[in-house]
Amino acid sequence: QVQLVESGGGLVQAGGSLRLSCAASGRTFALYTIDWFRQGPGKEREFVAGFRWSGGSTNYADSVKDRFTISRDNAKNTVYLQMNYLKPEDTAVYYCAGREIGRLRYDYWGQGTQVTVSS
């Protein structure tokens, strides 16, 4: 009942920037958070950044704090992840995930977008 579509991934040199987008549609009124996760090659999935859909509060993993910024365009129902000062260790498939109000699990996931950072 909520659809999430990521875009904006690509190849970038270390120190460069990318902006990922997560477009939400459907029952967005029921969302509690839209968060970003990533999974690098041979690694576990890890939390990157979170955005509270209603209140607008944010939180970040320590590994990306002060480099990444999560935000929302209310008119477009789109959450962005601005990634600056990228490092090779940021290379991963990035996913946006939505959690509904009153739910502990993430109910919705996008298809993922590849981010590759070269040395």
Side-chain angles (χ1 to χ4, degrees):
Q1 293 196 298
V2 173
Q3 297 79 45
L4 304 175
V5 179
E6 303 102 328
S7 62
L11 278 66
V12 65
Q13 288 186 269
S17 300
L18 285 173
R19 189 181 74 165
L20 306 183
S21 299
C22 176
S25 60
R27 290 169 42 91
T28 57
F29 61 87
L31 290 171
Y32 179 51
T33 62
I34 293 287
D35 299 338
W36 287 95
F37 291 82
R38 68 186 182 187
Q39 186 168 14
K43 299 179 180 179
E44 296 288 323
R45 184 188 66 189
E46 64 175 335
F47 173 82
V48 177
F51 188 95
R52 185 173 294 180
W53 188 254
S54 179
S57 61
T58 62
N59 65 293
Y60 301 90
D62 288 342
S63 60
V64 306
K65 187 177 181 180
D66 299 323
R67 297 191 298 121
F68 292 8
T69 303
I70 191 169
S71 62
R72 181 180 66 182
D73 183 329
N74 290 334
K76 296 181 178 180
N77 279 346
T78 298
V79 174
Y80 302 100
L81 184 68
Q82 179 67 47
M83 306 186 296
N84 299 321
Y85 307 104
L86 283 162
K87 305 175 181 180
E89 50 263 43
D90 295 319
T91 295
V93 178
Y94 284 71
Y95 301 89
C96 63
R99 180 159 57 97
E100 289 192 347
I101 297 169
R103 299 290 293 264
L104 297 178
R105 67 186 295 269
Y106 287 90
D107 301 286
Y108 309 105
W109 292 84
Q111 81 286 353
T113 186
Q114 176 71 47
V115 172
T116 302
V117 184
S118 62
S119 301

